[in-house]
Amino acid sequence: QVQLVESGGGLVQAGGSLRLSCAASGRTFSRYVMGWFRQAPGKEREFVAAITWRGDNTYYADSVKGRFTISRDNAKNTVYLQMNSLKPEDTAVYFCNALQSGTPLWSWGQGTQVTVSS
């Protein structure tokens, strides 16, 4: 049973930065594509970013391209999301998960709340 624990969220002013972390326990995730997702109030969960298992390829939603950076440390079973130039529309609960053919693979963690004030 894999457990995903997201952390690093908080309240930040527009233009600010946050770095999110997601630690996976119960299984090594080094061979999986890992992704970040977010869910704003009243909206569907949406894709934010993904990174291949070697970290040599990354993918981003158009809405975050150029502002967010995904990275990973396989030795620590942890994936990160550096978020810069934050906007109020980035406010959401952020989740991570492994991806297989673009589909989330594991049970979702509790997520971490990011709130960006204008």
Side-chain angles (χ1 to χ4, degrees):
Q1 184 76 10
V2 176
Q3 283 192 319
L4 296 167
V5 179
E6 299 90 350
S7 62
L11 173 62
V12 64
Q13 287 189 332
S17 298
L18 284 173
R19 188 193 194 209
L20 307 184
S21 299
C22 169
S25 62
R27 177 178 294 184
T28 180
F29 75 2
S30 61
R31 294 289 177 171
Y32 294 95
V33 173
M34 293 297 296
W36 282 96
F37 298 79
R38 67 187 181 186
Q39 188 167 20
K43 294 189 176 181
E44 299 269 328
R45 188 172 289 161
E46 64 175 3
F47 168 78
V48 174
I51 185 167
T52 51
W53 71 271
R54 283 198 178 105
D56 49 354
N57 282 296
T58 55
Y59 307 90
Y60 298 93
D62 287 344
S63 58
V64 307
K65 207 170 289 183
R67 301 187 297 120
F68 290 10
T69 303
I70 188 171
S71 60
R72 66 190 296 162
D73 185 336
N74 289 337
K76 295 182 179 179
N77 259 21
T78 301
V79 62
Y80 305 97
L81 186 68
Q82 177 66 44
M83 307 187 297
N84 298 328
S85 302
L86 282 161
K87 304 176 180 180
E89 51 264 44
D90 295 317
T91 295
V93 180
Y94 283 71
F95 303 86
C96 70
N97 211 321
L99 292 169
Q100 189 171 62
S101 301
T103 301
L105 193 59
W106 299 330
S107 296
W108 295 100
Q110 84 289 350
T112 186
Q113 174 72 49
V114 171
T115 303
V116 184
S117 64
S118 56

